[in-house]
Amino acid sequence: MVEFSRHGAVFQNMDYSEIDSRGEAIAKMIDEKTGEGNDFLGWLDYASRLPEEEIARIEKTAKRIRENYDALVVIGIGGSYLGARAMIEAVNGFFPEDKLEIIYLGNTLSSTYTAQVIRHLRNKKFAINVISKSGTTTEPAVAFRLLKEMLIQRFGKAYLKDAVIATTDRAKGALKMEADKEGYECFVIPDDIGGRFSVITPVGLLPVACANIDIRAFLQGVKDAEKDYSGHDYKKNPAYFYAATRYLLHVQKKFTSEMFVSYELQNKMIEEWLKQLFDESEGKEGKALLCSSGVFTTDLHSMGQFIQQGSPVLFETIIKEKNPNLDVEVPSDERNLDNLNYLAGKNLSYINDKAYQATLEAHTEGHSPAMVISIDRMDAYNIGNLFYFFFRATAFSAYLLGVNPFNQPGVEIYKHNMFKLLGKPGVK
Ligand code: PA5
């Protein structure tokens, strides 16, 4: 279970009476599935319902990929890739000593990035996990076509049958049709779980298992979280208390932006995942906080000035692990030309922790209050627990704002314009 704390003078006179009167009804509405968008609440108990055979099949497929290929290309965008990448980078870091390389494609229309990935893959024996709930999203569909073509040229069409795994809808969409026709192995994204909540399904589980991360520990973290964050009394439920507090910082204290902060570079994608979760769930009807992100101390050397003394628009939500996954010690140097001997023998994590304490004090005494969400360490179990904490918080927070947390009508508008410009058949 996460630990949650608030820091800053603004909390001393925060008035929670609105939540006192609405909180329980919203909590019940989530569990009883009576609110707007309630047909997308499958994530509430998905981990507990996931059959053993499905977990075992994911593990078996991951083992096969790990044993037979140099690389796995995960093709997907938004909710169909961010969660898996967030977990893989947070747990394995940037330079894992692992023989299976994980590469992401279909998350952009950048021709330069795509061409670079294709060049990078030209001598590799790689597999593809193509992930798309709708099965029709342009970015992953184009990337998939490019890589299929490349593999057919190099190895012939028969190679694709074992090398491609499709994660998509149970029955509909172009990807499902193609997978059935070509005989690709398929994993299902349930109808009642939207993209940004799908990291706990095969969308996240298969790439994460391929990255040699323990998906059973992850699912246990999610299952424990189902109990940890289900209470209807928002004051006793850290997910709801956090959601209530961020809501009040917005509507009562007039902050307009929430900055997710980590002190670990490899957690950057967790913040990207969080931005999608909250911005896509809440940014509707002219409402909601804008979520942004920062990795400290890195960004203290770029945005730190603004946070300390610029316009007072943001508060911080810091994701803090108590123990780093790895550590290094500062060596002693007889000559001490860099004057760093006062740090000799200290771990880098110790120095990072002092930076955290110092920054928390500086920012909260300035005009940026902070909430801290602490976990023991960034391992599979704790990430599972943390992700689910944020699922619950998002649902509660969006319902407080009065918006449907589970749709994203605004995203379709640019797509329609783009298809019109591209001359897609049937689009006017
Ligand atoms: O959360 C969402 O719904 C989106 O981010 C989608 O996951 C994203 O647009 C990709 O859609 P699809 O999985 O249908 O390709």
Side-chain angles (χ1 to χ4, degrees), residues 77-80 131-135 137 140 195-196 276 280 408 415:
I77 194 164
S80 286
I131 308 171
S132 176
K133 187 173 183 195
S134 62
T137 307
R196 55 194 176 274
Q276 185 200 1
E280 208 167 59
Q408 52 283 326
K415 287 187 195 167

Side-chain angles (χ1 to χ4, degrees), residues 76-82 131-140 167 189 194-198 203 276 280 406 408 411-412 415:
I77 194 164
S80 286
Y81 106 104
L82 277 168
I131 308 171
S132 176
K133 187 173 183 195
S134 62
T136 56
T137 307
T138 311
E139 293 89 337
T167 306
I189 311 175
R196 55 194 176 274
F197 294 80
S198 69
V203 169
Q276 185 200 1
E280 208 167 59
F406 305 115
Q408 52 283 326
V411 183
E412 299 310 315
K415 287 187 195 167

Side-chain angles (χ1 to χ4, degrees), residues 8-25:
V10 74
F11 297 113
Q12 280 160 17
N13 64 353
M14 194 167 236
D15 177 7
Y16 282 85
S17 52
E18 182 192 338
I19 320 293
D20 292 341
S21 59
R22 298 172 62 209
E24 196 176 336

